[in-house]
Amino acid sequence: MPYTLKPADAYDVDVETTEYLKDHVDTGDRWTLNFGPQHPATHTTLRLVLELDGERVARCTPHIGYLHSGFEKLGEHMDYNQYVTVVSRMNYLSPISNDICWHHAVEHLFGIDITTRCKVIRTIMAEVGRIQDHLLNVGAVALDLGAFTGFLYAFNVREKIYDLYDYISGQRYHPDWSRVGGAMKPLPDDGMFRKLVRNLIDKEVPRAIKDLEDLVLRNKIFIDRTAGIGEMTKEEAIAWSLSGPVARASGVERDVRKDEPSLCYAENWDNEGAEAVKFSVPVHSDGDVHARFQVRIEEMRQAIKIIDQLLGDDLWEKLKDVPMDTYADGKFVKPKKEDVYGSIEGLIQHFELIMSNRGWDAPIAEGYGKQETANGELGYYIVADGGPRPWRTKCRPPSFINYQTVAKMLEGHMLADTVAIIGSLNVVAAELDR
Amino acid sequence: MDAILDSIFPLSPQFFVGALTAVVMVHLILGTIPLLIYFERKISAYIQDRMGPNRVGFDLGLPVLQKLFRGFGFWGLGQSLADGLKFILKEDYMPKGADRALFTLAPALAVVPAFIGWAIIPWGGEFLLPTIEFFGREWVSGGYASVMVADINVGFIYLLAIASLGIYGITLGGWASNNKYSFLGGLRASAGMISYEIPMGMTILATLLLVGSFAPSVIVEDQVRNGWFILAQPIAAVVFFACILAEANRAPFDNAEAEQELVGGYHTEYSAMRFALFFLAEYAHMMTSSAFFTLLFLGGYHVPFIELTSPEATGFLAVFVKINVFFIKVVGLVCFMMVIRWTVPRIRYDQVLKLCWSSLIPLSLVLVVATSIMLKLGATEWWQMALMNLVLLIALVPTATLLFNSKTVNKKLPMAGSRFSPLREQDVSTAPVSRTALDDDNPFNKAARPV
């Protein structure tokens, strides 16, 4: 997109005195309601200035930036492994998806091909992250509409997912688990890991999904509150560059896992002719809050299906001797432990990578890596200058892109629909403001 | 002195029993409300796969009492006491610009109507009071008396009057807080509650047509003879229950305090004991409403096939059993309200009103007419009335579906000033305003556009 840069003093804008509601129509009976940033339904710190006609929203002005934390700038001061700790704080509903996506982008930039074992476990964990995110979101939509019980049904299962994170990484909430070319550490025990995941997808998650569906999905009140609210047509969804369940609920057949696959979603992912995992991408035509709810529920089912394919005995028998980390010649992957303790080169290389003031042999290049996370297309654009840290990291946060439509969806609906719309977009302010 | 005492005593049996009932029942109810709050926590916990309060006892964290209560968990029964103490110790905050007088008055106005409704509840039917005599004077003369505070003929008219008063506290509290969310909550409450008075009155009318009296004691006796009215008027019972949920501001009609939309609604700005009074009023209101439901549809103190609960039994034991029966029914209904609250989502404000005006009011009107016709025909047996209800339901459901299409409920209305749903004559452009982006001479644009 062509643009001209204006000199700094051209923006003669004083934030405090600027009139936001420029097209304000004074009909005499409108009043302004400040919705957030401290409000139970704005999930973190979203702020909407609503111009109300009775209870109907005539105009909505979203204000962002209340949770701006300089996450992107922090990326310029941390090396490629350290930054994962910040990335997972962006979308804290499914931190592991962010971890995997960040290192997917880094590996894409460095040209590292990760091992099959790592691919399998990352795929499983990415899908677990998707389930984790969707569980919270479908629960939160129910919560925003007053069904607190649905929220807790979904949240109970998240505890089990935390246990899984705890098992693989030692942290419950922010696993910060992936590393360049591999993971923080190998699995403690394959059998136990599979057992935990198996329990999750066979018992816990299907039960929660069924409970939630029974509770709200066919409830007349729930349908009345969600059907026809916040509609986006297919054309609009594409025009506003929506992604993820919000776009798919409007009928856009777009899923990064199918369109530009990586990990186990790609054909021949183990270089021995393995087939891509089989799953279907749920698409709904209504484009309203109810459609998004249904798409998310169905995506959880598909995630279970994907994980189920990756837990087979044959596959794990093959993976038995495959290491988690890639041991490349390059200077950005940690050497094997035997080499660290047994050879001086290995020790030096380990030292170089662990000490943050030491050098990484990163290329002088830039690249964009993306993956389909629960909210939509999450991507990282990295500019590397050859030093130990990226020169610039730019995140493409699905929350930010999806949140721009909130005014469009809301104007003309009731005040009570605000919460349904915000909830259905699954906006995470930490990711939105970064 | 004797002359003065002679002019007062002996008291009439009804006065004595009424005063005694008032004192006992007010304390009983005030003591039950913390228990109900505990029930609410426990019921919600069971519904939501949680434990609920199970630790808090009565030791208040004091070492002396801890020694005394060692080994007793009390199943978390001390939780409500701890909550109450917390309310007392919290800062009593009043926002800037609030109307001081009304802000203070509103919680009281919410509590009082919830309690004075109890006056006409016939807790234990008739009681044969023995003459009370000591110190050589007859203090209370013996005789029959109703175990209720005031045995008045206009019982249910009184109920309707009291129910309307309850909204004053909420509306004034919302207005006096000087907060837009509170104000919206107050507005919602007044519109909702006033609307729901109408079907409530209609269903009471439809039921009382069978009795021919407004007196609570007569209503119960009639149900003892002819069967509970929930059998004779099931539609009225359901509509009345929905109305009392709306009147008590309970989910799924709790739009006035919709937490996710209005933060706390009318009590957003309230804290400490002022908030506790609103909280108390909500539960008292639930109990009052449930008591009226019990009285009107569940046969009051009566249990079939138990002689002790029939109106003829007037002994002390009978009255004791009757009060217990009544209370169990009331608490059961309140628990049912709690189960509803933790199961269904909240109905939106406009849908609440739509439900009332386009479904409940016509339904209850038709019900009143149908009941009158049945009475004219002389068919007043409970099974005949139940049959009439069934026929009415079968006839009305398809008609209502045809008449009130709910597809239009969530329609997006174009509003003046909205950028995304402009009015017909409005011209709103969302095209880019930057010259550079629109410039045809710009090589980037030329390259991007298909020729």
Side-chain angles (χ1 to χ4, degrees):
Chain A
M1 181 62 104
Y3 59 92
T4 47
L5 284 176
K6 282 185 189 170
D9 58 346
Y11 295 101
D12 191 17
V13 173
D14 184 1
V15 176
E16 294 301 319
T17 55
T18 303
E19 202 179 331
Y20 290 108
L21 303 168
K22 266 203 181 126
D23 303 344
H24 174 81
V25 179
D26 191 11
T27 59
D29 51 1
R30 298 264 169 89
W31 60 318
T32 312
L33 185 72
N34 185 36
F35 197 86
Q38 297 286 328
H39 188 285
T42 56
H43 294 283
T44 20
T45 52
L46 308 173
R47 180 180 168 215
L48 302 171
V49 176
L50 304 174
E51 205 181 306
L52 296 180
D53 184 2
E55 285 234 3
R56 209 167 269 279
V57 180
R59 195 179 173 83
C60 159
T61 314
H63 293 240
I64 62 170
Y66 286 89
L67 207 59
H68 175 60
S69 339
F71 281 166
E72 282 184 358
K73 189 71 184 167
L74 281 174
E76 298 164 17
H77 297 271
M78 293 180 175
D79 71 34
Y80 297 94
N81 273 341
Q82 287 172 332
Y83 190 48
V84 76
T85 55
V86 173
V87 159
S88 76
R89 266 94 180 152
M90 286 190 187
N91 184 348
Y92 45 78
L93 304 182
S94 54
I96 199 129
S97 301
N98 300 33
D99 297 2
I100 292 169
C101 184
W102 163 248
H103 276 125
H104 173 74
V106 172
E107 283 150 11
H108 175 71
L109 179 69
F110 289 178
I112 300 171
D113 191 20
I114 54 174
T115 62
T116 37
R117 187 189 184 80
C118 190
K119 276 182 184 170
V120 169
I121 298 173
R122 276 196 190 177
T123 312
I124 292 176
M125 292 318 292
E127 293 303 320
V128 168
R130 188 183 319 282
I131 292 174
Q132 186 191 18
D133 199 314
H134 284 344
L135 271 177
L136 186 105
N137 180 249
V138 291
V141 169
L143 170 71
D144 286 345
L145 301 179
F148 190 51
T149 304
F151 178 72
L152 287 181
Y153 281 167
F155 216 91
N156 279 344
V157 185
R158 280 172 62 95
E159 284 297 319
K160 301 288 186 300
I161 294 174
Y162 293 151
D163 287 349
L164 182 64
Y165 285 177
D166 191 9
Y167 186 72
I168 63 165
S169 74
Q171 277 197 69
R172 282 171 66 75
Y173 202 76
H174 292 293
D176 306 335
W177 167 76
S178 63
R179 292 290 181 273
V180 179
M184 180 183 121
K185 58 179 184 181
L187 289 183
D189 180 50
D190 284 2
M192 190 65 197
F193 172 74
R194 281 166 66 197
K195 212 170 147 186
L196 281 172
V197 179
R198 181 59 77 185
N199 177 46
L200 201 67
I201 64 162
D202 282 357
K203 278 196 207 141
E204 305 289 342
V205 179
R207 201 180 62 193
I209 295 174
K210 187 174 179 305
D211 281 350
L212 253 170
E213 276 194 335
D214 290 352
L215 192 69
V216 291
L217 195 59
R218 280 183 290 280
N219 188 319
K220 180 81 170 81
I221 300 175
F222 186 75
I223 294 170
D224 276 356
R225 291 280 321 253
T226 52
I229 302 289
E231 273 184 345
M232 289 291 272
T233 62
K234 188 174 178 177
E235 290 73 27
E236 285 167 348
I238 295 170
W240 289 80
S241 82
L242 297 180
S243 60
V246 183
R248 288 195 283 275
S250 299
V252 183
E253 293 167 28
R254 163 99 176 130
D255 190 323
V256 179
R257 291 177 293 173
K258 288 277 191 200
D259 299 340
E260 288 153 77
S262 57
L263 298 178
C264 295
Y265 310 115
E267 293 287 346
N268 191 23
W269 50 268
D270 63 350
N271 298 324
E272 291 170 20
E275 284 187 358
V277 286
K278 291 187 187 61
F279 67 101
S280 36
V281 179
V283 174
H284 206 292
S285 57
D286 285 0
D288 53 12
V289 175
H290 198 243
R292 282 167 219 148
F293 188 87
Q294 283 171 300
V295 165
R296 285 207 168 89
I297 294 247
E298 190 51 38
E299 273 189 21
M300 280 195 274
R301 294 229 169 83
Q302 296 299 330
I304 291 174
K305 201 172 143 192
I306 292 171
I307 297 172
D308 192 42
Q309 293 167 42
L310 295 173
L311 287 179
D313 286 338
D314 296 350
L315 177 61
W316 282 81
E317 193 64 36
K318 257 192 267 175
L319 294 178
K320 214 165 154 188
D321 301 322
V322 183
M324 178 73 101
D325 289 337
T326 314
Y327 301 117
D329 292 341
K331 294 286 169 63
F332 22 73
V333 179
K334 274 197 291 182
K336 288 181 185 175
K337 278 289 171 198
E338 300 93 277
D339 291 346
V340 177
Y341 295 127
S343 74
I344 194 142
E345 292 82 10
L347 185 63
I348 290 171
Q349 192 187 341
H350 184 85
F351 186 73
E352 294 279 339
L353 290 179
I354 294 302
M355 299 303 285
S356 60
N357 58 349
R358 291 305 176 136
W360 280 58
D361 268 359
I364 302 177
E366 48 192 271
Y368 176 72
K370 62 176 174 295
Q371 275 193 342
E372 183 77 20
T373 58
N375 261 352
E377 179 189 328
L378 174 68
Y380 289 97
Y381 186 81
I382 308 169
V383 182
D385 61 352
R389 300 170 199 97
W391 184 79
R392 173 81 169 97
T393 58
K394 171 78 178 77
C395 177
R396 186 232 186 253
S399 290
F400 178 67
I401 314 277
N402 292 351
Y403 189 60
Q404 46 174 345
T405 59
V406 74
K408 174 172 173 48
M409 288 180 180
L410 182 57
E411 284 182 13
H413 281 307
M414 309 283 284
L415 172 64
D417 298 329
T418 316
V419 292
I421 288 170
I422 295 180
S424 77
L425 286 176
N426 194 16
V427 181
V428 183
E431 189 188 54
L432 193 159
D433 295 335
R434 305 192 296 298
Chain B
M1 183 67 188
D2 267 4
I4 298 170
L5 283 179
D6 278 340
S7 67
I8 299 172
F9 297 102
L11 297 171
S12 79
Q14 182 58 58
F15 181 84
F16 179 73
V17 171
L20 200 66
T21 315
V23 171
V24 170
M25 290 322 287
V26 161
H27 286 87
L28 197 60
I29 291 154
L30 279 175
T32 314
I33 284 170
L35 206 63
L36 283 181
I37 294 169
Y38 171 76
F39 280 171
E40 172 117 53
R41 281 164 171 272
K42 271 299 191 189
I43 287 173
S44 67
Y46 284 131
I47 292 177
Q48 294 167 349
D49 269 359
R50 296 186 285 118
M51 295 295 282
N54 62 352
R55 301 294 162 89
V56 189
F58 297 99
D59 53 281
L60 308 177
L62 300 175
V64 183
L65 292 175
Q66 270 169 0
K67 265 179 203 150
L68 196 66
F69 289 122
R70 181 168 294 159
F72 298 97
F74 289 110
W75 312 291
L77 274 170
Q79 184 73 49
S80 298
L81 184 69
D83 285 349
L85 275 178
K86 184 196 73 180
F87 279 133
I88 292 170
L89 297 174
K90 284 263 171 177
E91 183 195 352
D92 186 14
Y93 176 76
M94 187 182 287
K96 211 165 110 184
D99 188 313
R100 292 191 73 86
L102 290 181
F103 192 79
T104 314
L105 190 66
L109 278 180
V111 169
V112 171
F115 276 101
I116 53 179
W118 291 101
I120 60 152
I121 303 291
W123 291 102
E126 295 277 290
F127 177 46
L128 181 56
L129 187 74
T131 311
I132 298 177
E133 252 179 330
F134 49 89
F135 301 135
R137 181 181 288 280
E138 188 187 342
W139 297 92
V140 182
S141 57
Y144 283 100
S146 295
V147 184
M148 59 199 290
V149 178
D151 191 3
I152 47 176
N153 282 333
V154 290
F156 266 86
I157 307 281
Y158 174 80
L159 156 69
L160 286 174
I162 292 305
S164 314
L165 287 177
I167 64 163
Y168 274 105
I170 291 172
T171 313
L172 287 179
W175 185 79
S177 298
N178 190 27
N179 177 325
K180 286 181 178 176
Y181 287 102
S182 304
F183 184 53
L184 263 180
L187 285 182
R188 283 180 173 196
S190 47
M193 286 169 111
I194 289 169
S195 302
Y196 272 84
E197 306 252 295
I198 301 164
M200 191 171 161
M202 289 291 175
T203 46
I204 291 176
L205 191 63
T207 316
L208 293 190
L209 277 175
L210 299 175
V211 190
S213 165
F214 281 117
S217 46
V218 181
I219 292 165
V220 176
E221 279 158 26
D222 198 273
Q223 291 186 70
V224 173
R225 276 197 305 279
N226 301 329
W228 295 1
F229 286 151
I230 194 167
L231 299 174
Q233 292 281 29
I235 295 181
V238 172
V239 173
F240 186 77
F241 194 75
C243 292
I244 61 177
L245 277 182
E247 288 277 329
N249 244 323
R250 270 309 266 195
F253 302 99
D254 58 344
N255 279 281
E257 49 182 307
E259 190 199 328
Q260 283 79 24
E261 297 148 28
L262 301 184
V263 190
Y266 59 89
H267 59 60
T268 305
E269 296 287 2
Y270 280 88
S271 60
M273 279 314 279
R274 289 181 217 262
F275 172 73
L277 278 185
F278 272 127
F279 205 60
L280 192 76
E282 187 185 325
Y283 281 86
H285 217 116
M286 278 162 71
M287 283 192 80
T288 319
S289 315
S290 304
F292 281 116
F293 189 88
T294 309
L295 172 60
L296 198 57
F297 292 104
L298 294 182
Y301 49 75
H302 175 240
V303 180
F305 313 118
I306 296 179
E307 272 309 303
L308 222 51
T309 60
S310 69
E312 285 77 38
T314 51
F316 182 76
L317 181 67
V319 167
F320 182 73
V321 170
K322 282 173 182 176
I323 290 177
N324 276 299
V325 165
F326 203 109
F327 226 77
I328 288 167
K329 282 179 184 175
V330 168
V331 171
L333 270 176
V334 173
C335 289
F336 183 55
M337 286 180 171
M338 289 168 184
V339 172
I340 289 178
R341 172 176 175 186
W342 294 106
T343 310
V344 293
R346 180 182 305 116
I347 308 179
R348 206 174 56 205
Y349 167 66
D350 60 322
Q351 291 167 350
V352 168
L353 293 187
K354 189 180 155 68
L355 176 72
C356 178
W357 287 97
S358 73
S359 314
L360 296 186
I361 291 180
L363 181 64
S364 48
L365 269 172
V366 172
L367 195 66
V368 170
V369 173
T371 311
S372 315
I373 293 170
M374 293 293 281
L375 283 178
K376 184 74 182 166
L377 296 176
T380 50
E381 289 293 316
W382 72 265
W383 58 268
Q384 287 163 328
M385 295 302 292
L387 209 63
M388 180 271 285
N389 271 266
L390 193 67
V391 170
L392 209 60
L393 207 62
I394 292 168
L396 279 182
V397 165
T399 327
T401 323
L402 282 178
L403 278 179
F404 309 109
N405 192 353
S406 64
K407 280 270 157 49
T408 54
V409 173
N410 288 335
K411 213 169 136 197
K412 191 172 181 171
L413 290 189
M415 312 282 284
S418 165
R419 294 154 294 178
F420 302 109
S421 55
L423 301 176
R424 194 163 294 150
E425 57 274 13
Q426 252 183 339
D427 185 25
V428 176
S429 169
T430 51
V433 287
S434 159
R435 277 302 305 152
T436 331
L438 296 172
D439 198 352
D440 275 348
D441 296 336
N442 193 312
F444 288 95
N445 283 343
K446 270 191 181 162
R449 276 180 206 161
V451 183

